[in-house]
Amino acid sequence: MKPFTACRIRRFLFFTVSLALFSSCSVNSEKEFYTAEDFCSVPKIDAHFHYNTTDTRYLKFADSLNMWFVSPNVDAGRSIDEQFDIARMLKKEFGHKFFFLGTFPVDNYGEPGFAGEIIERIEKAVKSGASGVKIWKNIGMELIDQYGDYVMIDDPAFHPVFEYLQENGIPVLGHLGEPLNCWLPLEEMTLGNDRRYFQNNPQYHMYLHPEAPSYQDQITARDNILNMYPGLKFSGAHLASLEWSVDELAERFESFPELKVDLSARIGHLQYQSLTDHQKVRDFLIKYQDRIMYGSDMSVTDRSTDYGRITGNLYQRWMDDWIYLATDSAIVVKDLEGQKVAGLKLPTSVIDRIYYQNSGEFFKH
Ligand SMILES: [Zn+2]
């Protein structure tokens, strides 16, 4: 593929520069705007990428594009212990180009010592080089108590955990709730990928489960935690599940000064909003440039054996996102029924913040 070749040639030119930039955690560009070609040379962090294999080729590939990872472990898929082992191994080998977040199971909810076990696990993860901890949507959407009621994230059983995290300044990535589309019938969903996902996973399509907590219940429980622990270093994964409205997000940024968010798997929702109000989305990203981190939510696993196809997909997604955020070129968005969306052409200083500095600052503690 042509773009790779171009990137590889540049890689050598920019290798030294970008390393120096990374260690000082600041990027200075003379330019006012980046172009599509700048993608390869500008230091970037995909702050939400599930690296679930010991195959290091994808890390090396990403590195050749000056893209580094924050890889959250998650209480789903392969065992947490296995994910942790993989992450520790990669951390040892790739140091400052690979960051990971530990996580914890919640099966022992209701047992004595529940919070203590979670804290122990987090402590161990951090000692092993984890840059923080990931909390997953199973809290609020799957976990039920002895009476059959859903356990929300503001349940008192988790209070000691949040106290510990706040006290120790440990960054938290919280995926709580789902996109609003999850509570809508398929035909009312705004994006094709949400429609496909919930069609294929009806167990998670909350429109079909009116007995489960509502969208608002999820948001309220999360906001309760932010109110209770104002010093908590908290980043809301997937635009903090407020992906459908930059106004709603802006309100939360104003109410919770410590709140950060990542863009992972929700850039389509920004694109959807920018179809009707391009300027508003652009202004929002500029205004809250210190609070937003780039992330894709893509993953590689042991099944990722087709190197050519997978690196092609990674490159395509990263590049599409770059073109939308950094340039004013139009991209065709498959999930918006092939509509063309004009890029936001954010200034280089904003791109550097969103792609690099914010996650560098947030995940170091
Ligand atoms: Zn994820």
Side-chain angles (χ1 to χ4, degrees):
M1 272 186 201
K2 266 190 210 148
F4 297 178
T5 326
C7 283
R8 285 195 180 124
I9 294 165
R10 277 199 197 86
R11 178 190 169 194
F12 297 103
L13 293 173
F14 288 95
F15 186 66
T16 331
V17 178
S18 51
L19 266 187
L21 290 172
F22 188 82
S23 43
S24 67
C25 218
S26 71
V27 184
N28 284 310
S29 176
E30 311 268 293
K31 289 174 151 184
E32 201 184 340
F33 300 103
Y34 289 127
T35 63
E37 289 75 49
D38 292 324
F39 171 78
C40 307
S41 59
V42 174
K44 300 168 291 298
I45 298 176
D46 186 332
H48 191 140
F49 186 101
H50 298 281
Y51 208 103
N52 253 322
T53 174
T54 52
D55 181 348
T56 57
R57 287 179 302 167
Y58 301 105
L59 252 158
K60 290 172 188 151
F61 169 72
D63 186 34
S64 76
L65 307 172
N66 284 308
M67 177 74 84
W68 303 311
F69 294 127
V70 178
S71 175
N73 288 174
V74 53
D75 188 12
R78 80 193 296 169
S79 87
I80 291 176
D81 288 336
E82 276 174 0
Q83 294 180 52
F84 185 45
D85 288 344
I86 292 171
R88 275 189 298 188
M89 186 284 261
L90 296 172
K91 180 75 194 163
K92 255 193 206 128
E93 196 175 334
F94 290 89
H96 66 278
K97 294 178 178 181
F98 178 84
F99 303 85
F100 75 99
L101 310 178
T103 195
F104 52 85
V106 289
D107 315 323
N108 290 343
Y109 176 83
E111 305 283 325
F114 172 69
E117 280 168 29
I118 294 177
I119 291 170
E120 241 171 66
R121 206 177 251 275
I122 297 172
E123 230 168 19
K124 185 177 164 202
V126 171
K127 272 191 192 135
S128 306
S131 298
V133 61
K134 160 100 180 230
I135 295 174
W136 200 51
K137 67 177 179 187
N138 53 345
I139 303 169
M141 301 197 75
E142 275 178 6
L143 182 64
I144 47 172
D145 68 13
Q146 53 177 326
Y147 308 107
D149 292 328
Y150 284 84
V151 176
M152 307 304 285
I153 195 62
D154 59 348
D155 189 285
F158 295 111
H159 291 180
V161 178
F162 285 113
E163 267 155 39
Y164 168 80
L165 290 167
Q166 177 174 261
E167 230 174 81
N168 290 281
I170 297 171
V172 180
L173 176 64
H175 174 177
L176 296 160
E178 278 289 61
L180 178 60
N181 278 340
C182 175
W183 280 265
L184 298 177
L186 290 171
E187 62 277 12
E188 284 178 31
M189 293 187 184
T190 47
L191 265 85
N193 53 336
D194 285 346
R195 211 171 298 127
R196 277 193 306 281
Y197 178 79
F198 292 115
Q199 189 154 28
N200 296 330
N201 296 279
Q203 74 277 24
Y204 295 132
H205 185 190
M206 288 300 126
Y207 175 73
L208 304 175
H209 306 282
E211 74 289 355
S214 66
Y215 173 75
Q216 196 50 52
D217 291 338
Q218 303 290 347
I219 299 298
T220 303
R222 190 273 321 280
D223 287 354
N224 285 345
I225 288 298
L226 299 179
N227 270 316
M228 273 187 267
Y229 303 96
L232 188 70
K233 282 186 83 178
F234 186 93
S235 171
H238 313 307
L239 285 168
S241 295
L242 294 163
E243 72 297 324
W244 59 280
S245 164
V246 293
D247 293 329
E248 287 281 328
L249 253 174
E251 235 177 71
R252 295 321 187 287
F253 281 144
E254 295 301 327
S255 309
F256 308 117
E258 286 300 315
L259 175 66
K260 311 278 191 294
V261 300
D262 76 36
L263 296 173
S264 67
R266 300 292 184 270
I267 286 185
H269 289 269
L270 289 184
Q271 290 166 335
Y272 177 77
Q273 291 172 73
S274 68
L275 275 176
T276 45
D277 203 338
H278 184 268
Q279 192 63 41
K280 184 180 189 174
V281 175
R282 187 171 190 271
D283 291 347
F284 166 82
L285 290 167
I286 292 172
K287 179 163 185 197
Y288 296 106
Q289 57 181 280
D290 296 348
R291 320 283 291 272
I292 298 164
M293 300 178 235
Y294 175 74
S296 69
D297 204 22
M298 291 191 290
S299 59
V300 285
T301 70
D302 287 343
R303 292 185 305 280
S304 308
T305 48
D306 187 346
Y307 179 78
R309 186 180 60 80
I310 287 163
T311 49
N313 290 344
L314 298 179
Y315 183 83
Q316 191 62 52
R317 166 68 74 78
W318 284 328
M319 199 60 184
D320 281 353
D321 293 346
W322 177 267
I323 288 173
Y324 173 64
L325 294 167
T327 80
D328 57 2
S329 301
I331 55 164
V332 174
V333 181
K334 208 176 73 206
D335 291 320
L336 293 172
E337 282 152 11
Q339 291 187 82
K340 273 191 175 172
V341 180
L344 298 172
K345 201 176 186 181
L346 298 169
T348 49
S349 56
V350 177
I351 290 289
D352 290 340
R353 281 235 140 255
I354 292 177
Y355 267 94
Y356 188 81
Q357 286 161 286
N358 294 343
S359 32
E361 286 164 19
F362 182 76
F363 288 110
K364 104 178 162 242
H365 70 279

